[in-house]
Amino acid sequence: MTASDLEHLIIARLVRERGGTSQTWQRALGKVIVRDTQTHAHCNWDVRLSGTDGQRAAIERLLDDVRLEHSIVTAG
């Protein structure tokens, strides 16, 4: 899975589970940052959240599950 695929997956799940628009969640999520698997062997990606406290909390809860399902991604 690529970083952009992961980003789309997260946004789609947020819209489905929490409502709102994909644009709103995109702004709150930010871009997926891919890190080197040599230094981040268990999960090589992260995001820089923005948005409201409620949006950040919803994203963090979802990211816990997504990291278990898709811990390693490729750039792109």
Side-chain angles (χ1 to χ4, degrees):
M1 174 170 285
T2 66
S4 61
D5 291 338
L6 181 66
E7 190 176 305
H8 293 295
L9 176 117
I10 293 168
I11 291 168
R13 285 182 61 177
L14 286 164
V15 170
R16 184 174 59 243
E17 294 173 14
R18 307 294 270 168
T21 66
S22 58
Q23 292 84 6
T24 300
W25 287 113
Q26 172 66 47
R27 285 190 299 273
L29 179 66
K31 293 290 182 188
V32 173
I33 302 161
V34 179
R35 306 205 187 276
D36 187 353
T37 55
Q38 294 295 323
T39 56
H40 297 81
H42 297 290
C43 184
N44 75 327
W45 60 269
D46 202 359
V47 292
R48 288 217 176 99
L49 302 178
S50 61
T52 66
D53 289 341
Q55 288 171 328
R56 288 193 307 270
I59 293 168
E60 284 293 343
R61 280 191 297 276
L62 177 63
L63 291 182
D64 290 340
D65 292 335
V66 173
R67 282 188 177 102
L68 292 173
E69 299 165 7
H70 306 284
S71 58
I72 302 296
V73 299
T74 59

